[in-house]
Every structure is written in structure tokens, then in C-alpha cells.
């Protein structure tokens, strides 16, 4: 199953990169994010391994992330392992203020029974990706302040 989302963000590439690379910032834009425990390396570093905990429908979900390719602040490729699926996530940033963000996800279900429902699940996963990207935009784009 392939998912993708694109957006233009009115912020510096460095600010967008920090938001997608920092576990502390993930809580601000990834729906359901709870915490991260580093298994190997530093957060957001090449070849690092982290266990992320998300809450989905009232249940805790453990997600293991391995960063396999990194070219800051332009590209990041991670392998994510959920209890029921694996994902390869490719994030690409181009330009600077505004930044063009592209996220591509290739998901593979572990159980055959879930593969049968992949078309239905695709819609749900795409909606979450779109929602997360909108939230990322709201976190990194500067807001206009009201003058008194």
C-alpha cells in the first residue's frame, strides 16, 4: 500500500527539519504520539533506533523506528515496524521559506487477513497522514501576532 502527501510550508527548512526529527516536537504534530525511548544512537541520527509509543483508539501501540538514510535538512528515510505492519517512510524537503514537503509511505501488512482489508485501511491511513501534515504546518509556520 502506498500513501503520499505534499504541502508547502511557510517556514525555514531548518525549522521543518527540527520538527520532523525531534521526538519532543513529534508530540506537537503527530496525532496520538506519547513518548520515545532511544534504543540506539541519538534522536534523529543516522542508523538510530527508537521505540515510539502512540495511543490509538485508547490502546498503546509500540512502533520501532530505524533511520536508514539521512541527508539533513533535505531527506530522511525510516523503517517503521508496527505490531501489524511495516512501513518505509521517505520524507523530502525542498526549497527554503517556503519549503516543499513530500512524504511517501510504503506499507506492508504482516497478516494476510489485513491484506484483504488494505483498500479500506488505505483510506484511514491516508486521512491520518493528511491530518499529521496539516498539524505539522500549524506547528512550524509562524503566526501573525496582533498588535495592541
Amino acid at each position: 500500500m502506498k500513501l503520499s502527501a505534499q504541502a508547502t510550508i511557510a517556514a525555514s527548512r531548518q525549522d521543518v527539519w527540527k520538527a520532523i526529527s525531534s521526538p519532543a516536537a513529534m508530540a506537537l504534530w503527530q496525532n496520538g504520539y506519547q513518548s520515545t525511548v532511544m534504543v540506539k544512537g541519538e534522536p534523529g541520527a543516522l542508523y538510530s533506533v527508537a521505540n515510539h509509543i502512540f495511543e490509538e483508539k485508547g490502546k498503546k501501540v509500540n512502533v520501532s523506528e530505524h533511520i536508514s538514510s539521512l541527508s539533513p535538512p533535505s531527506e530522511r528515510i525510516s523503517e517503521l515496524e508496527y505490531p501489524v505492519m511495516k512501513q518505509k517512510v521517505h520524507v523530502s524537503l525542498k526549497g527554503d521559506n517556503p519549503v516543499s514537503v513530500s512524504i511517501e509511505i510504503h506499507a506492508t501488512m504482516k497478516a494476510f487477513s489485513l491484506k484483504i482489508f488494505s483498500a479500506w485501511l488505505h483510506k484511514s491511513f491516508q486521512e491520518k497522514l493528511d491530518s499529521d501534515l496539516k498539524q505539522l504546518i500549524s506547528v512550524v509556520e509562524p503566526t501573525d501576532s496582533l498588535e495592541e
Side-chain angles (χ1 to χ4, degrees):
M1 166 185 346
K2 183 177 177 183
L3 308 164
S4 65
Q6 295 80 33
T8 300
I9 302 178
S12 73
R13 189 185 317 187
Q14 196 61 40
D15 286 347
V16 176
W17 186 261
K18 285 178 190 175
I20 66 169
S21 299
S22 163
M26 286 172 62
L28 301 173
W29 67 274
Q30 285 202 342
N31 294 312
Y33 174 83
Q34 299 288 307
S35 63
T36 294
V37 175
M38 293 305 302
V39 176
K40 176 183 168 190
E42 297 295 317
L46 182 61
Y47 306 127
S48 64
V49 177
N51 286 332
H52 305 292
I53 299 173
F54 288 84
E55 185 173 322
E56 294 180 6
K57 298 180 183 176
K59 295 182 181 180
K60 302 269 185 208
V61 177
N62 293 308
V63 180
S64 177
E65 176 187 35
H66 172 256
I67 298 177
S68 59
S69 180
L70 194 63
S71 183
S74 300
E75 185 177 61
R76 172 186 169 127
I77 299 174
S78 302
E79 280 84 29
L80 302 176
E81 185 150 352
Y82 291 76
V84 296
M85 74 176 152
K86 292 182 180 183
Q87 292 183 344
K88 184 172 186 175
V89 180
H90 181 202
V91 179
S92 175
L93 307 179
K94 294 181 181 173
D96 194 19
N97 209 359
V99 178
S100 175
V101 178
S102 174
I103 302 172
E104 291 186 3
I105 300 175
H106 294 273
T108 305
M109 302 312 228
K110 292 181 179 179
F112 178 75
S113 58
L114 290 173
K115 291 178 184 180
I116 293 172
F117 295 107
S118 65
W120 178 79
L121 292 170
H122 183 274
K123 181 180 177 191
S124 170
F125 293 153
Q126 185 66 53
E127 287 171 353
K128 182 181 182 326
L129 176 59
D130 292 341
S131 174
D132 286 347
L133 188 54
K134 285 179 187 174
Q135 191 64 25
L136 175 64
I137 293 168
S138 72
V139 167
V140 295
E141 279 191 349
T143 57
D144 293 329
S145 60
L146 298 174
E147 300 207 17
E148 295 181 27

